[in-house]
Each structure stands twice: as C-alpha cells, then as structure tokens.
Amino acid sequence: MKRNLLILLLVLIVFGIGGFLYLNQREVPIEQVFPGKIWAKPIENLPDLKGVGAPTAKNCGNCHTEIYEEWQRSTHANALTDIQFQSELAKPSSPKWICLNCHIPVQNQRETIITGLRNGDYFRPIEIPNPNFNPDMKEEGVTCATCHVRVDSQTKESYVIGGTGGTSPPHPIKIDRNQLLKRCYDCHNETYTLNESLVCSFQTGTELQATHSKQTCSSCHQPEVRRSFVKASLNKQIRTSHKHGFIGGGVPKRFDLYPDQIRLGYKPGIVLSRWKVDNNTIEVHIKNTNADHHVTTGDPERFYRLSIVGLDKNGNSIFQSESTIGQEWTWSPQAKKVNDTRIPSGKVYVWALKQTELPVVSYLFQATHVRLKNVTSDYMSQSSGYLTSPYKEKVEKIKELYPHSSLVIESLYQVKTKSRKDTPLEELFKRNVEKKGE
C-alpha cells in the first residue's frame, strides 16, 4: 500500500513538473495577446519589387530623387537612429520587439521573426532567424515601403500603393489614396497599457477626428507641391505631389536638420494672437491656429515652455515668469496622466499675470517646444551602460548631438506704444542651432 502511494506521488510530481514546464513554455499567438492591434506585428516580408529590386528607400530614390532627399531629412528616416529612442529601447524594462514594430515597421528590417510569445508573456518573445533580413533597410527607419509597398494576396508579388493615377511606372501600382491616408493612424493613434508603468499614449488621430475637420494628416505634414514625381531626366509631367519631410513639432532629430525645417513646411501650431497689458494685468493669448489636433500632441512628455521677461529702459531683465502648456504624467509606481493644459484645435489659452510695479518698458514673450528635458537627458547619459556602440557614445554626448527643444515664437511688446515686434521664424531657427551643446 505504501509502495503504491509512493509511486502515485512520484507520478503526480513528474506530471506536475512536466505540466508546469509545458504551460510555461507554450507558444501563444501574438494575435491572441494583442487582438486587433496593428502595431503588434510588423508588415510581412516584402519580396523584391519589379523594376526596383529590394523595396528600400535608397532604391526608390533612384527615380523619386526629390522625394527621397526630403525623406532623408525627416523624423521617419531617423526613427531607429533617434538617440532618445535608442536610450529608451536599451532599458531592461523595454519590450523591444513591440517598440520596433513602429520604428522599423517592415519585417525585412528585422533580424528575427517573432512567431509567438512564450506563455503569452510579451517579455518572452519566441524568435527565429529572418531569411529576408536586409541590414541596409533596417537603418532606414520608417522607410518608403512602410506606407507604399504591400504583397498582393493572389500573386504574392510586391506592388506599390499610389495616391493618384495616370502614370506608367516600371513597377506594379494600385491606386488606394484612402489606405495611404489611414496608415498614419496605425502608429500615431494608439494607446495601450502593458503594465502599471509601461504605457504608450498617442491620440493625435482621435484629436484630429474630434474637430470634424476635412483635413488629413498629409494636409499639414506633407504639404502639396507642383513637380514631377520622378527625376527630370525621365521627362515626366508636372503633377500635384506631396513633400515627404513629415514635419512635426519643429524639433528635429539632429542639429544639422534645422535648416530644412521651414523649407519642408514647418510652422508652429500655436500663434501669439494677442497681447493685453494694462495697469493690473498682463495677458498673453495663445491660439492653436495651425494644428487640427491638440498642441502639443504625440509623445506625452512634449510640452511648450512659456516665458515673459520684463525689460527696463536699458534692456535689462527686471521681471520674469514661466508657465507650461502640455500634459503632466506620473510614471512610478503607476503611469497615469494627472494634468492636461494642451490647446485643442482653434481654441485659445490665456496666460494672465499680475502687472508688476517695477519700471518695465517692454515685455519679451517666448514659446519653446520642449521634447526632452535636460534632467532626463542627464539621467540617460548616466545610464548609458545599457547601450552598445555607437549609441553608447552618442548618448554620453546627447546635449551636443540631440536637439532637446526649439524656440518657435518670440514677441517684444512695448508698453508705452502698445506695439509688438515678432522675430521671424528663420531667425529663431538659426538661434536653435547655435544653442547646440547647452
């Protein structure tokens, strides 16, 4: 009897351990863990494109030369090499494969294929080598194929998605303007919570839709331009095209990209619509005029820093005040938004201050779009040990290499004459370059 009980106990132990190991190692499909989430998987491997070769931006640029040159200066082209992103990606708490699904969204850009998640745990992806990995394409970040190339379900061949017809390119093309316009939402309108401290919050698309505007993302971020789609030597007709600089908040990923911001279409979402200065108060009216979504939008850590400086008759600062427009989040122990002073499209934010009794003859207002605080980049530099070359060295010198903010509005108000003088955007961006390393 005792012997039978012992055998039964051993069987239960063996099968118990085996069952535990089985359950702990079972492969759960990504679709089951993240149902309906486009960002949960990259775009499937893309075969070579007829008349083009590998679907890299460089190959596309052989014909679409102007568009390629604009894209090279864009945030999209720098989506993987972004120093801040690389620092975040290297953290032990980062679910790297998920983050990369937006920053290098095509499977050809990935060294491995995620076949599932071990026991459904997103920190334990099951990976196999990707036979179609293209290292050159990986470095292209959000490359042309992200929006423009897909695989035909019937022929299994790659084709290009176009927005207009009437051309005869060497590659297969299907006109689907609606698919192009909706593509932005796959990354720029997704909010999800992985755990209490890992939250990704991007609601730009929802903000745009709430305005009932007829504008699309491309209306502002890809301004129209009349030109040939391809290089001049191909002698193709002039058509309505779109710039591909994907200009956003005016804070580029590198200092050398500043000169291109205005050329590619940047203008601040906000304007200083009114000064009001009397014996009791100073009011600055800031209106969201140029954005059909909130400002700021996207990354919840972006914000506007506002400052007013009172100057005496000699131009010396004798009064100063600061404020912010943006979101405030706490990230530990639980990520949550605690305040939101952003400006919806068409709305006005009034910053009111009590008038000072000091002998102020003029007030200088400045609005700075902040992407990265100095205190945050200092922490990144101190934590650079998580990274490998070349990003480790870049993060250690992040203030020299990576623009943290951009001065986008400056206005001088003369109290006596009640007149204002605004600094041209070109002058402000020259100054933004000069503050490199500060």
Side-chain angles (χ1 to χ4, degrees):
M1 185 70 176
K2 288 183 179 179
R3 183 171 177 273
N4 290 339
L5 286 174
L6 182 60
I7 293 173
L8 178 61
L9 180 61
L10 288 171
V11 168
L12 288 173
I13 291 173
V14 169
F15 276 90
I17 293 173
F20 171 78
L21 290 174
Y22 168 75
L23 290 174
N24 197 41
Q25 299 297 321
R26 68 193 177 98
E27 182 172 332
V28 179
I30 294 173
E31 296 87 348
Q32 184 175 324
V33 179
F34 299 111
K37 295 298 184 181
I38 293 175
W39 48 260
K41 299 183 78 172
I43 299 161
E44 62 181 298
N45 276 316
L46 299 172
D48 286 359
L49 191 59
K50 182 181 177 182
V52 176
T56 63
K58 184 178 180 180
N59 283 346
C60 296
N62 289 331
C63 289
H64 302 281
T65 50
E66 270 192 58
I67 291 173
Y68 176 63
E69 183 274 333
E70 291 165 358
W71 168 85
Q72 283 184 303
R73 317 296 288 172
S74 73
T75 296
H76 280 174
N78 290 273
L80 177 66
T81 57
D82 179 329
I83 301 175
Q84 182 181 5
F85 172 68
Q86 284 292 331
S87 180
E88 295 289 341
L89 191 69
K91 290 179 178 179
S93 61
S94 170
K96 297 175 179 57
W97 68 275
I98 296 179
C99 304
L100 290 172
N101 285 346
C102 277
H103 285 256
I104 45 173
V106 183
Q107 184 66 73
N108 304 56
Q109 299 176 293
R110 310 288 282 276
E111 297 179 46
T112 62
I113 296 172
I114 310 299
T115 61
L117 305 177
R118 190 166 284 108
N119 201 31
D121 185 348
Y122 50 81
F123 278 117
R124 301 170 69 198
I126 300 170
E127 302 178 82
I128 61 172
N130 180 10
N132 298 107
F133 171 59
N134 186 324
D136 293 331
M137 193 172 177
K138 174 184 176 180
E139 296 303 312
E140 292 178 345
V142 180
T143 187
C144 307
T146 301
C147 301
H148 285 283
V149 183
R150 291 295 182 274
V151 177
D152 186 276
S153 59
Q154 301 298 320
T155 65
K156 303 302 179 184
E157 294 181 351
S158 291
Y159 66 91
V160 172
I161 301 170
T164 58
T167 60
S168 53
H171 52 69
I173 186 166
K174 293 184 181 181
I175 305 304
D176 193 341
R177 180 173 172 78
N178 189 50
Q179 181 171 342
L180 287 178
L181 295 178
K182 291 195 303 182
R183 178 68 180 112
C184 307
Y185 292 168
D186 293 343
C187 291
H188 293 277
N189 200 48
E190 279 293 344
T191 295
Y192 59 93
T193 300
L194 292 176
N195 59 43
E196 285 191 341
S197 60
L198 282 175
V199 174
C200 194
S201 178
F202 291 86
Q203 284 294 294
T204 307
T206 298
E207 294 161 9
L208 173 62
Q209 293 165 4
T211 66
H212 304 291
S213 170
K214 294 182 180 180
Q215 302 296 318
T216 66
C217 304
S218 291
S219 301
C220 295
H221 297 281
Q222 292 184 272
E224 288 187 353
V225 58
R226 294 286 294 175
R227 65 181 176 192
S228 171
F229 284 9
V230 295
K231 58 188 177 183
S233 61
L234 295 176
N235 297 312
K236 296 296 183 179
Q237 68 187 92
I238 302 299
R239 304 165 59 84
T240 298
S241 175
H242 289 268
K243 292 184 179 180
H244 279 62
F246 302 99
I247 291 299
V251 190
K253 299 297 185 183
R254 304 193 310 265
F255 280 97
D256 66 293
L257 298 179
Y258 264 116
D260 297 285
Q261 297 297 294
I262 299 171
R263 176 178 70 88
L264 294 174
Y266 172 75
K267 55 186 176 182
I270 57 173
V271 299
L272 175 57
S273 60
R274 185 187 180 195
W275 277 98
K276 182 182 177 184
V277 180
D278 57 30
N279 293 331
N280 299 313
T281 60
I282 309 165
E283 285 185 5
V284 178
H285 293 230
I286 303 160
K287 185 175 183 180
N288 178 356
T289 298
N290 297 320
D292 283 325
H293 50 66
H294 291 11
V295 286
T296 53
T297 190
D299 185 342
E301 294 189 293
R302 289 177 177 261
F303 65 95
Y304 281 109
R305 181 187 297 120
L306 311 178
S307 72
I308 290 181
V309 176
L311 305 173
D312 65 16
K313 63 181 181 179
N314 297 315
N316 299 314
S317 172
I318 56 174
F319 167 83
Q320 186 167 357
S321 184
E322 286 194 355
S323 186
T324 59
I325 295 172
Q327 302 178 64
E328 291 180 41
W329 285 66
T330 58
W331 300 102
S332 179
Q334 181 177 356
K336 63 178 180 178
K337 182 163 62 176
V338 295
N339 194 28
D340 191 344
T341 58
R342 296 177 301 154
I343 313 175
S345 179
K347 301 299 182 181
V348 175
Y349 175 88
V350 179
W351 183 23
L353 300 167
K354 288 185 177 180
Q355 176 68 283
T356 177
E357 296 180 359
L358 297 171
V360 172
V361 299
S362 61
Y363 289 100
L364 180 69
F365 169 81
Q366 292 182 328
T368 301
H369 188 145
V370 180
R371 182 179 64 207
L372 181 63
K373 296 178 182 178
N374 283 330
V375 64
T376 305
S377 67
D378 287 340
Y379 177 77
M380 289 177 173
S381 296
Q382 295 163 10
S383 306
S384 62
Y386 289 127
L387 293 112
T388 57
S389 294
Y391 294 110
K392 181 180 185 299
E393 293 77 14
K394 289 181 177 180
V395 169
E396 288 171 352
K397 299 190 297 182
I398 193 168
K399 285 189 172 66
E400 298 174 34
L401 302 175
Y402 196 67
H404 289 32
S405 62
S406 292
L407 175 61
V408 296
I409 295 176
E410 182 178 80
S411 180
L412 184 66
Y413 181 87
Q414 300 292 343
V415 176
K416 185 175 181 180
T417 62
K418 298 186 181 299
S419 61
R420 62 185 275 186
K421 182 180 179 182
D422 299 341
T423 305
L425 193 59
E426 292 82 359
E427 173 60 32
L428 298 181
F429 271 49
K430 287 180 182 177
R431 283 196 239 159
N432 289 330
V433 176
E434 291 168 357
K435 71 181 182 182
K436 178 179 178 179
E438 293 181 3

